[in-house]
Coordinates of all heavy atoms in Angstrom, one line a residue:
M1 N -11.6 -10.8 -24.5 CA -10.7 -11.8 -25.1 C -9.8 -12.2 -24.1 O -9.1 -11.4 -23.5 CB -10.0 -11.1 -26.3 CG -9.1 -12.0 -27.1 SD -9.8 -12.2 -28.7 CE -9.0 -13.6 -29.2
P2 N -9.6 -13.5 -23.8 CA -8.7 -14.0 -22.8 C -7.2 -13.9 -23.3 O -6.9 -14.1 -24.4 CB -9.1 -15.5 -22.6 CG -9.8 -15.8 -23.9 CD -10.4 -14.6 -24.5
N3 N -6.4 -13.6 -22.3 CA -5.1 -13.6 -22.6 C -4.4 -14.9 -22.4 O -5.0 -15.9 -21.9 CB -4.4 -12.5 -21.8 CG -4.3 -12.7 -20.3 OD1 -4.3 -13.9 -19.9 ND2 -4.5 -11.6 -19.5
G4 N -3.1 -14.9 -22.7 CA -2.3 -16.3 -22.5 C -2.4 -16.8 -21.1 O -2.5 -18.1 -21.0
I5 N -2.3 -16.0 -20.1 CA -2.3 -16.5 -18.7 C -3.8 -17.1 -18.4 O -3.8 -18.1 -17.8 CB -2.0 -15.4 -17.8 CG1 -0.6 -15.0 -18.1 CG2 -2.2 -15.7 -16.4 CD1 0.3 -14.5 -17.0
D6 N -4.7 -16.4 -18.9 CA -6.1 -17.0 -18.6 C -6.3 -18.3 -19.3 O -6.9 -19.2 -18.8 CB -7.2 -16.0 -19.1 CG -7.3 -14.8 -18.2 OD1 -6.8 -14.9 -17.1 OD2 -7.7 -13.7 -18.8
V7 N -5.9 -18.5 -20.5 CA -6.0 -19.7 -21.3 C -5.2 -20.8 -20.6 O -5.7 -21.9 -20.4 CB -5.4 -19.5 -22.9 CG1 -5.4 -20.8 -23.5 CG2 -6.3 -18.6 -23.4
A8 N -3.9 -20.5 -20.2 CA -3.2 -21.5 -19.5 C -3.8 -21.9 -18.1 O -3.8 -23.1 -17.8 CB -1.7 -20.9 -19.2
K9 N -4.2 -21.0 -17.4 CA -5.0 -21.3 -16.2 C -6.1 -22.2 -16.3 O -6.3 -23.2 -15.7 CB -5.4 -19.8 -15.4 CG -6.2 -20.1 -14.3 CD -6.6 -18.7 -13.7 CE -7.4 -18.8 -12.4 NZ -8.8 -19.4 -12.5
D10 N -7.0 -21.8 -17.4 CA -8.2 -22.7 -17.6 C -7.6 -24.1 -18.1 O -8.2 -25.1 -17.6 CB -9.0 -22.0 -18.8 CG -10.2 -22.9 -19.1 OD1 -11.0 -23.1 -18.2 OD2 -10.3 -23.3 -20.3
A11 N -6.6 -24.2 -18.9 CA -6.1 -25.5 -19.3 C -5.6 -26.4 -18.2 O -5.7 -27.5 -18.0 CB -5.1 -25.4 -20.5
V12 N -4.9 -25.7 -17.2 CA -4.4 -26.4 -16.0 C -5.5 -26.9 -15.2 O -5.4 -28.0 -14.7 CB -3.5 -25.3 -15.1 CG1 -3.2 -26.0 -13.7 CG2 -2.1 -25.2 -16.0
E13 N -6.5 -26.0 -15.0 CA -7.7 -26.5 -14.2 C -8.4 -27.7 -14.8 O -8.8 -28.6 -14.2 CB -8.7 -25.3 -14.0 CG -8.2 -24.3 -13.1 CD -9.0 -23.0 -13.1 OE1 -9.9 -22.9 -13.9 OE2 -8.8 -22.1 -12.3
Q14 N -8.5 -27.7 -16.2 CA -9.2 -28.8 -16.9 C -8.2 -30.0 -16.8 O -8.8 -31.1 -16.6 CB -9.4 -28.4 -18.4 CG -10.5 -27.4 -18.6 CD -10.6 -27.1 -20.0 OE1 -10.5 -28.0 -20.9 NE2 -10.8 -25.8 -20.4
F15 N -7.0 -29.8 -17.0 CA -6.0 -30.9 -16.8 C -6.1 -31.6 -15.5 O -6.2 -32.8 -15.4 CB -4.6 -30.4 -17.0 CG -3.5 -31.4 -17.0 CD1 -3.3 -32.3 -18.2 CD2 -2.6 -31.5 -16.0 CE1 -2.3 -33.2 -18.2 CE2 -1.6 -32.4 -16.1 CZ -1.5 -33.3 -17.1
Q16 N -6.3 -30.8 -14.4 CA -6.3 -31.4 -13.1 C -7.6 -32.1 -12.9 O -7.6 -33.2 -12.3 CB -6.1 -30.3 -12.0 CG -4.7 -29.8 -12.0 CD -4.6 -28.5 -11.0 OE1 -5.4 -27.7 -11.0 NE2 -3.5 -28.4 -10.3
K17 N -8.8 -31.6 -13.4 CA -10.0 -32.2 -13.3 C -10.1 -33.6 -14.1 O -10.5 -34.6 -13.6 CB -11.1 -31.3 -13.9 CG -12.5 -31.7 -13.6 CD -13.6 -30.8 -14.1 CE -13.5 -29.5 -13.5 NZ -14.6 -28.5 -13.9
V18 N -9.5 -33.5 -15.3 CA -9.4 -34.8 -16.0 C -8.6 -35.9 -15.3 O -9.0 -37.0 -15.2 CB -8.9 -34.6 -17.5 CG1 -8.5 -35.9 -18.2 CG2 -9.9 -33.8 -18.3
Q19 N -7.5 -35.5 -14.8 CA -6.7 -36.4 -14.0 C -7.3 -37.0 -12.8 O -7.4 -38.2 -12.5 CB -5.3 -35.7 -13.5 CG -4.3 -35.5 -14.5 CD -3.0 -35.0 -14.0 OE1 -2.1 -35.8 -13.9 NE2 -2.9 -33.8 -13.4
K20 N -8.1 -36.2 -12.1 CA -8.9 -36.6 -10.9 C -9.9 -37.7 -11.4 O -10.0 -38.7 -10.8 CB -9.6 -35.4 -10.4 CG -10.5 -35.8 -9.1 CD -11.2 -34.6 -8.5 CE -12.5 -34.5 -8.9 NZ -13.4 -33.4 -8.3
H21 N -10.6 -37.4 -12.5 CA -11.6 -38.3 -13.0 C -10.9 -39.7 -13.5 O -11.4 -40.8 -13.4 CB -12.5 -37.8 -14.0 CG -13.4 -36.7 -13.5 ND1 -14.4 -37.0 -12.6 CD2 -13.4 -35.4 -13.6 CE1 -15.0 -35.9 -12.2 NE2 -14.4 -34.9 -12.9
M22 N -9.7 -39.5 -14.0 CA -9.0 -40.7 -14.5 C -8.5 -41.6 -13.3 O -8.7 -42.9 -13.5 CB -7.7 -40.3 -15.3 CG -7.9 -39.7 -16.6 SD -6.5 -39.1 -17.5 CE -5.6 -40.7 -17.9
L23 N -8.1 -40.9 -12.3 CA -7.7 -41.8 -11.2 C -8.9 -42.4 -10.4 O -8.7 -43.6 -10.1 CB -7.1 -40.9 -10.1 CG -5.6 -40.3 -10.5 CD1 -5.2 -39.3 -9.5 CD2 -4.6 -41.4 -10.7
I24 N -10.1 -41.8 -10.5 CA -11.3 -42.5 -10.0 C -11.6 -43.6 -10.9 O -12.0 -44.8 -10.4 CB -12.5 -41.4 -9.8 CG1 -12.1 -40.5 -8.8 CG2 -13.7 -42.2 -9.6 CD1 -13.1 -39.3 -8.8
A25 N -11.6 -43.4 -12.2 CA -12.0 -44.5 -13.2 C -11.0 -45.7 -13.1 O -11.4 -46.8 -13.1 CB -11.9 -43.9 -14.6
K26 N -9.7 -45.4 -12.8 CA -8.7 -46.4 -12.7 C -9.1 -47.2 -11.4 O -9.0 -48.4 -11.3 CB -7.3 -45.8 -12.8 CG -6.2 -46.9 -12.6 CD -4.9 -46.2 -12.9 CE -3.9 -47.3 -13.1 NZ -2.5 -46.7 -13.4
D27 N -9.4 -46.5 -10.3 CA -9.7 -47.1 -9.1 C -10.9 -48.0 -9.2 O -11.0 -49.1 -8.6 CB -9.9 -46.2 -8.0 CG -10.0 -46.7 -6.6 OD1 -9.2 -47.5 -6.1 OD2 -11.0 -46.3 -6.0
E28 N -11.8 -47.6 -9.9 CA -13.1 -48.4 -10.1 C -13.0 -49.4 -11.2 O -14.0 -50.1 -11.5 CB -14.3 -47.4 -10.4 CG -14.6 -46.6 -9.2 CD -15.7 -45.5 -9.5 OE1 -16.0 -45.3 -10.6 OE2 -16.1 -44.9 -8.5
N29 N -11.9 -49.5 -11.9 CA -11.6 -50.4 -13.0 C -12.6 -50.1 -14.1 O -12.9 -51.1 -14.8 CB -11.6 -51.9 -12.5 CG -11.0 -52.8 -13.5 OD1 -10.0 -52.4 -14.1 ND2 -11.4 -54.0 -13.5
A30 N -12.8 -48.9 -14.4 CA -13.7 -48.4 -15.5 C -12.8 -48.1 -16.7 O -12.5 -47.0 -17.0 CB -14.5 -47.2 -15.1
T31 N -12.3 -49.1 -17.4 CA -11.4 -49.0 -18.4 C -11.8 -48.2 -19.6 O -11.0 -47.4 -20.1 CB -10.9 -50.3 -18.9 OG1 -11.9 -51.1 -19.3 CG2 -10.1 -51.1 -17.8
R32 N -13.1 -48.3 -20.0 CA -13.6 -47.5 -21.1 C -13.6 -46.0 -20.8 O -13.3 -45.2 -21.5 CB -14.9 -48.0 -21.6 CG -14.9 -49.3 -22.2 CD -16.2 -49.9 -22.7 NE -17.1 -48.9 -23.4 CZ -18.3 -49.0 -23.4 NH1 -19.1 -49.9 -22.8 NH2 -19.0 -48.1 -24.2
T33 N -14.0 -45.7 -19.5 CA -14.0 -44.3 -19.1 C -12.6 -43.8 -19.0 O -12.4 -42.7 -19.4 CB -14.7 -44.2 -17.7 OG1 -16.1 -44.8 -17.8 CG2 -14.8 -42.8 -17.2
Y34 N -11.8 -44.6 -18.4 CA -10.4 -44.1 -18.4 C -9.7 -43.8 -19.7 O -9.1 -42.8 -20.0 CB -9.5 -45.3 -17.7 CG -8.1 -44.8 -17.4 CD1 -7.7 -44.2 -16.2 CD2 -7.1 -45.1 -18.3 CE1 -6.4 -43.9 -16.0 CE2 -5.8 -44.7 -18.1 CZ -5.4 -44.1 -16.9 OH -4.2 -43.8 -16.6
D35 N -10.0 -44.7 -20.7 CA -9.4 -44.5 -22.1 C -10.1 -43.3 -22.6 O -9.4 -42.6 -23.4 CB -9.7 -45.8 -22.9 CG -8.8 -46.9 -22.4 OD1 -7.8 -46.7 -21.8 OD2 -9.2 -48.1 -22.9
S36 N -11.3 -43.1 -22.4 CA -11.9 -41.8 -23.0 C -11.3 -40.6 -22.4 O -11.0 -39.6 -23.2 CB -13.4 -41.9 -22.7 OG -14.0 -40.7 -23.2
L37 N -11.1 -40.6 -21.1 CA -10.5 -39.4 -20.4 C -9.1 -39.2 -20.9 O -8.6 -38.1 -20.8 CB -10.7 -39.5 -18.9 CG -12.0 -39.5 -18.2 CD1 -12.0 -40.0 -16.9 CD2 -12.4 -38.0 -18.3
K38 N -8.4 -40.3 -21.2 CA -7.1 -40.3 -21.5 C -6.8 -39.5 -22.9 O -5.8 -38.6 -22.9 CB -6.5 -41.7 -21.7 CG -4.9 -41.7 -21.9 CD -4.3 -43.1 -22.0 CE -2.9 -43.1 -22.4 NZ -2.4 -44.4 -22.4
D39 N -7.8 -39.5 -23.7 CA -7.7 -38.6 -24.9 C -7.7 -37.2 -24.5 O -6.8 -36.5 -25.1 CB -8.9 -38.9 -25.9 CG -8.9 -40.3 -26.5 OD1 -7.8 -40.9 -26.6 OD2 -9.9 -40.8 -26.9
D40 N -8.6 -36.8 -23.7 CA -8.6 -35.4 -23.2 C -7.3 -35.0 -22.4 O -6.7 -34.0 -22.6 CB -9.8 -35.1 -22.2 CG -11.2 -35.2 -22.9 OD1 -11.1 -35.1 -24.2 OD2 -12.1 -35.6 -22.2
Y41 N -6.8 -35.9 -21.5 CA -5.6 -35.8 -20.8 C -4.4 -35.5 -21.8 O -3.7 -34.5 -21.6 CB -5.4 -37.1 -19.9 CG -4.0 -37.2 -19.4 CD1 -3.5 -36.5 -18.3 CD2 -3.0 -38.0 -20.1 CE1 -2.2 -36.7 -17.8 CE2 -1.7 -38.1 -19.7 CZ -1.3 -37.5 -18.4 OH -0.1 -37.6 -18.0
L42 N -4.3 -36.3 -22.8 CA -3.2 -36.1 -23.8 C -3.3 -34.8 -24.6 O -2.3 -34.2 -24.8 CB -3.1 -37.3 -24.7 CG -2.8 -38.7 -24.1 CD1 -2.8 -39.8 -25.0 CD2 -1.3 -38.6 -23.4
S43 N -4.5 -34.5 -24.9 CA -4.6 -33.2 -25.6 C -4.3 -32.0 -24.7 O -3.6 -31.1 -25.2 CB -6.1 -33.1 -26.1 OG -6.5 -34.0 -27.0
L44 N -4.8 -32.1 -23.5 CA -4.5 -30.9 -22.6 C -3.0 -30.9 -22.3 O -2.3 -29.8 -22.2 CB -5.3 -31.1 -21.2 CG -6.8 -30.8 -21.4 CD1 -7.6 -31.3 -20.3 CD2 -7.0 -29.3 -21.6
K45 N -2.5 -32.0 -22.1 CA -0.9 -32.1 -21.8 C -0.1 -31.5 -23.0 O 0.8 -30.7 -22.8 CB -0.6 -33.5 -21.6 CG 0.9 -33.7 -21.1 CD 1.1 -35.1 -20.7 CE 2.5 -35.3 -20.2 NZ 2.8 -36.7 -19.6
A46 N -0.6 -31.8 -24.3 CA 0.2 -31.1 -25.3 C 0.0 -29.7 -25.4 O 0.9 -28.9 -25.6 CB -0.4 -31.8 -26.6
I47 N -1.2 -29.2 -25.1 CA -1.5 -27.6 -25.1 C -0.6 -27.1 -24.0 O 0.0 -26.0 -24.2 CB -3.0 -27.4 -24.9 CG1 -3.7 -27.8 -26.1 CG2 -3.3 -25.9 -24.5 CD1 -5.2 -27.9 -25.9
L48 N -0.6 -27.7 -22.8 CA 0.2 -27.1 -21.8 C 1.7 -27.1 -22.1 O 2.5 -26.2 -21.6 CB -0.1 -27.8 -20.4 CG -1.6 -27.5 -19.9 CD1 -1.9 -28.5 -18.7 CD2 -1.7 -26.1 -19.5
N49 N 2.2 -28.2 -22.7 CA 3.6 -28.3 -23.0 C 3.9 -27.1 -24.0 O 5.0 -26.5 -23.9 CB 3.9 -29.6 -23.7 CG 4.2 -30.6 -22.6 OD1 4.7 -30.3 -21.6 ND2 3.7 -31.9 -22.9
V50 N 3.0 -26.9 -25.0 CA 3.3 -25.8 -26.0 C 3.3 -24.5 -25.3 O 4.0 -23.6 -25.6 CB 2.2 -25.9 -27.1 CG1 2.3 -24.6 -27.9 CG2 2.5 -27.1 -28.0
A51 N 2.4 -24.3 -24.2 CA 2.3 -23.1 -23.6 C 3.5 -22.8 -22.6 O 3.6 -21.9 -21.9 CB 1.0 -23.0 -22.7
G52 N 4.3 -23.9 -22.4 CA 5.5 -23.8 -21.5 C 5.2 -24.1 -20.1 O 6.0 -23.7 -19.2
V53 N 4.0 -24.6 -19.7 CA 3.7 -25.0 -18.3 C 4.5 -26.2 -17.9 O 4.6 -27.3 -18.6 CB 2.2 -25.3 -18.2 CG1 1.8 -25.7 -16.8 CG2 1.5 -24.0 -18.6
N54 N 5.1 -26.1 -16.7 CA 5.9 -27.2 -16.1 C 4.9 -28.1 -15.5 O 4.2 -27.8 -14.5 CB 6.9 -26.7 -15.1 CG 7.7 -27.7 -14.6 OD1 7.5 -28.9 -14.7 ND2 8.8 -27.2 -14.0
L55 N 4.8 -29.3 -16.0 CA 3.9 -30.3 -15.5 C 4.4 -31.2 -14.5 O 3.7 -32.1 -14.0 CB 3.3 -31.1 -16.7 CG 2.6 -30.4 -17.8 CD1 2.3 -31.3 -19.0 CD2 1.3 -29.8 -17.3
T56 N 5.7 -31.1 -14.1 CA 6.3 -31.9 -13.3 C 5.5 -32.1 -11.8 O 5.4 -33.3 -11.4 CB 7.7 -31.4 -12.8 OG1 8.5 -31.3 -14.1 CG2 8.4 -32.4 -11.9
D57 N 5.0 -31.1 -11.3 CA 4.3 -31.2 -10.0 C 2.8 -31.4 -10.1 O 2.3 -32.0 -9.2 CB 4.5 -29.9 -9.2 CG 6.0 -29.7 -8.8 OD1 6.7 -30.7 -8.6 OD2 6.4 -28.5 -8.6
I58 N 2.3 -31.2 -11.3 CA 0.8 -31.3 -11.3 C 0.4 -32.6 -12.2 O -0.7 -33.0 -12.1 CB 0.1 -30.1 -11.9 CG1 0.5 -29.8 -13.4 CG2 0.4 -28.9 -11.1 CD1 -0.2 -28.8 -14.1
D59 N 1.3 -33.3 -12.9 CA 1.0 -34.4 -13.7 C 1.0 -35.7 -12.7 O 2.1 -36.2 -12.4 CB 1.9 -34.5 -14.8 CG 1.4 -35.7 -15.8 OD1 0.4 -36.3 -15.4 OD2 2.1 -35.9 -16.8
K60 N -0.2 -36.1 -12.2 CA -0.2 -37.3 -11.4 C -0.3 -38.6 -12.1 O 0.0 -39.7 -11.6 CB -1.4 -37.1 -10.5 CG -1.4 -36.0 -9.6 CD -2.7 -35.8 -8.8 CE -2.7 -34.6 -8.0 NZ -3.9 -34.3 -7.2
I61 N -0.7 -38.6 -13.4 CA -0.9 -39.7 -14.2 C 0.5 -40.2 -14.8 O 0.8 -41.4 -14.9 CB -1.9 -39.5 -15.3 CG1 -3.2 -39.1 -14.8 CG2 -2.1 -40.8 -16.1 CD1 -3.9 -40.0 -13.7
K62 N 1.3 -39.3 -15.4 CA 2.5 -39.5 -15.9 C 2.5 -40.5 -17.2 O 3.3 -41.4 -17.2 CB 3.6 -39.9 -15.0 CG 3.6 -39.1 -13.7 CD 4.8 -38.4 -13.6 CE 4.9 -37.7 -12.2 NZ 4.6 -36.4 -12.1
E63 N 1.5 -40.2 -18.1 CA 1.6 -41.2 -19.3 C 2.0 -40.3 -20.4 O 1.8 -39.2 -20.5 CB 0.1 -41.7 -19.5 CG -0.2 -42.8 -18.4 CD -1.5 -43.4 -18.8 OE1 -2.0 -43.3 -19.9 OE2 -2.1 -44.2 -17.9

């Protein structure tokens, strides 16, 4: 059973991966892909906020 730190670590890794793909989609003007990824981004951001993770340094999108 994963502990809180493992869950937060996994969520941070997923958050960073989603942001990377969002930035690529934005650069390629793939608006539908960007919007789809944004749903995941917002969900992960909410989970990380509840977990108390400081997103100041890792949030590159800032939406």
Side-chain angles (χ1 to χ4, degrees):
M1 182 115 199
N3 64 31
I5 299 214
D6 291 334
V7 171
K9 179 182 178 284
D10 183 56
V12 166
E13 289 170 353
Q14 289 181 40
F15 184 72
Q16 290 172 323
K17 190 180 295 186
V18 166
Q19 285 190 105
K20 180 177 102 177
H21 293 295
M22 286 176 75
L23 291 170
I24 291 168
K26 190 173 188 175
D27 185 51
E28 294 176 345
N29 203 26
T31 54
R32 288 178 52 205
T33 302
Y34 184 91
D35 290 342
S36 176
L37 288 164
K38 187 175 176 181
D39 291 338
D40 294 335
Y41 163 83
L42 292 173
S43 296
L44 287 165
K45 189 171 182 175
I47 290 167
L48 292 169
N49 278 323
V50 168
V53 175
N54 183 346
L55 299 175
T56 303
D57 292 332
I58 63 171
D59 189 358
K60 298 176 184 178
I61 306 294
K62 311 249 190 256
E63 287 189 18

